[in-house]
Amino acid sequence: MTEKVDLDDETIAYVPCAFYCVMLEMEKFNSRPFSYSILSILKICSVSVMEFFDKLGRWIDIATSSKKIQEHSFKIQSSLAVSVVIYKKLLPIFRSLFQYVPSSSSQTFDSYSLFSFIWLTVIIMKKSLPSEDLLTCFHMLLCIVEWVYKDLCFHDCEDHVEPESAIHMMENKDGVRVLEVLCRSFDGVLLDAKHFRTHWFNVKRESILPSLKHKDLDLQTNIERYLNSLNDAYNGIMLRKGEIDERMFIPADITTVFEPSSD
């Protein structure tokens, strides 16, 4: 006997859900990496990410999908939810430490490239964390921002560095204490952040990001090459894991990052 199931009026939203579940089922035949990213499928169907996840749970119930697919769906939604929060936390941090540099400037790179580098590093390293919990991801973000900020200061990229932030960083008589200032200003837990930096970030960074020069990052010289390699690496991770392309958070108009009202 065939059971009839009534879908709601937004039937087109179920097309990417069905396609995605089929791709996950094909994993049994060792077909990873996936041929298509979820985001590209959603764009073809003109379905938003929010609508996709809203319908995905219902589709899984209707299609009586395996427990593995249910768990995978929950995992990618949880991971994306953490990324949304981390992205929102990055915006005021970025504004406080860096100033706007347009593409038309004489600098070797602009604010869009800088923001893209930080966010790509975040979403790549996030996938290697032992746990994608919010606090760990936030401390990872602070460590990445500190790493980038120190590199810009070391190489005298003054056009990118917010002058007032540099004054705050040097207010300690012992010198620059970027992580301490970030934790104090943005509600990080300093002891946990330092522990994470020492025992995970500094230890794992080179193996997770092998294409970067870790002894001397030198963004002003290498950023274009870095962005190309990071994008390639993230493409591989995203397709292998069958997850949402979190580069969608990077705004086309970088000036919006410098506007608090757009947070």
Side-chain angles (χ1 to χ4, degrees), residues 1-7 58-59 61-64:
M1 181 181 292
T2 302
E3 182 181 355
K4 182 180 178 181
V5 178
D6 291 325
L7 300 177
R58 176 162 165 73
W59 180 260
D61 291 339
I62 292 171
T64 59

Side-chain angles (χ1 to χ4, degrees), residues 183-239:
C183 286
R184 185 172 70 239
S185 302
F186 298 100
D187 300 323
V189 181
L190 181 56
L191 188 61
D192 290 349
K194 284 185 172 181
H195 184 274
F196 177 84
R197 181 180 61 185
T198 300
H199 297 286
W200 194 89
F201 185 73
N202 289 342
V203 174
K204 300 288 187 179
R205 191 179 66 204
E206 193 164 353
S207 61
I208 297 171
L209 306 168
S211 63
L212 307 188
K213 294 182 177 180
H214 293 267
K215 291 183 178 179
D216 181 9
L217 193 58
D218 192 6
L219 285 173
Q220 68 175 347
T221 301
N222 300 307
I223 194 164
E224 287 304 317
R225 181 174 64 81
Y226 287 165
L227 288 173
N228 288 334
S229 63
L230 290 175
N231 274 302
D232 287 344
Y234 184 71
N235 270 329
I237 294 170
M238 175 191 61
L239 293 175

Side-chain angles (χ1 to χ4, degrees), residues 4-252:
K4 182 180 178 181
V5 178
D6 291 325
L7 300 177
D8 51 45
D9 293 336
E10 302 294 332
T11 53
I12 188 63
Y14 289 100
V15 173
C17 298
F19 194 88
Y20 182 62
C21 287
V22 168
M23 286 202 305
L24 289 177
E25 288 288 359
M26 290 297 290
E27 184 186 3
K28 298 174 184 176
F29 305 101
N30 299 316
S31 63
R32 286 197 183 187
F34 297 112
S35 302
Y36 307 97
S37 71
I38 304 176
L39 201 58
S40 64
I41 297 169
L42 297 183
K43 286 180 179 178
I44 291 170
C45 298
S46 299
V47 174
S48 69
V49 173
M50 186 176 296
E51 190 176 12
F52 169 71
F53 282 120
D54 182 53
K55 305 299 184 187
L56 182 59
R58 176 162 165 73
W59 180 260
I60 289 174
D61 291 339
I62 292 171
T64 59
S65 300
S66 66
K67 185 178 180 181
K68 189 172 184 179
I69 289 181
Q70 294 175 359
E71 290 174 347
H72 186 84
S73 170
F74 177 77
K75 183 178 178 181
I76 63 172
Q77 290 184 68
S78 298
S79 178
L80 184 62
V82 170
S83 293
V84 169
V85 176
I86 295 301
Y87 178 79
K88 289 182 177 179
K89 287 183 176 293
L90 171 59
L91 296 178
I93 294 172
F94 192 86
R95 282 195 300 270
S96 70
L97 266 62
F98 309 111
Q99 56 186 357
Y100 176 59
V101 176
S103 57
S104 58
S105 74
S106 59
Q107 292 295 302
T108 56
F109 64 100
D110 57 13
S111 293
Y112 180 84
S113 295
L114 179 60
F115 189 88
S116 297
F117 176 83
I118 291 174
W119 185 245
L120 273 166
T121 304
V122 168
I123 59 180
I124 289 173
M125 295 197 76
K126 178 171 169 279
K127 296 305 173 187
S128 294
L129 288 170
S131 171
E132 288 188 33
D133 65 275
L134 186 56
L135 187 59
T136 301
C137 289
F138 180 55
H139 287 149
M140 182 191 69
L141 170 67
L142 296 183
C143 290
I144 291 170
V145 170
E146 178 195 42
W147 183 36
V148 169
Y149 185 85
K150 285 184 173 181
D151 178 77
L152 295 181
C153 291
F154 181 78
H155 289 283
D156 297 321
C157 299
E158 295 178 356
D159 284 2
H160 281 282
V161 176
E162 172 61 43
E164 285 193 16
S165 74
I167 295 172
H168 290 310
M169 297 303 173
M170 292 299 294
E171 66 183 14
N172 189 303
K173 65 179 181 180
D174 296 325
V176 179
R177 292 290 183 269
V178 182
L179 190 61
E180 287 87 334
V181 174
L182 289 175
C183 286
R184 185 172 70 239
S185 302
F186 298 100
D187 300 323
V189 181
L190 181 56
L191 188 61
D192 290 349
K194 284 185 172 181
H195 184 274
F196 177 84
R197 181 180 61 185
T198 300
H199 297 286
W200 194 89
F201 185 73
N202 289 342
V203 174
K204 300 288 187 179
R205 191 179 66 204
E206 193 164 353
S207 61
I208 297 171
L209 306 168
S211 63
L212 307 188
K213 294 182 177 180
H214 293 267
K215 291 183 178 179
D216 181 9
L217 193 58
D218 192 6
L219 285 173
Q220 68 175 347
T221 301
N222 300 307
I223 194 164
E224 287 304 317
R225 181 174 64 81
Y226 287 165
L227 288 173
N228 288 334
S229 63
L230 290 175
N231 274 302
D232 287 344
Y234 184 71
N235 270 329
I237 294 170
M238 175 191 61
L239 293 175
R240 186 174 68 252
K241 290 180 173 289
E243 296 184 346
I244 289 285
D245 188 343
E246 295 180 358
R247 289 173 296 187
M248 66 180 180
F249 289 104
I250 301 173

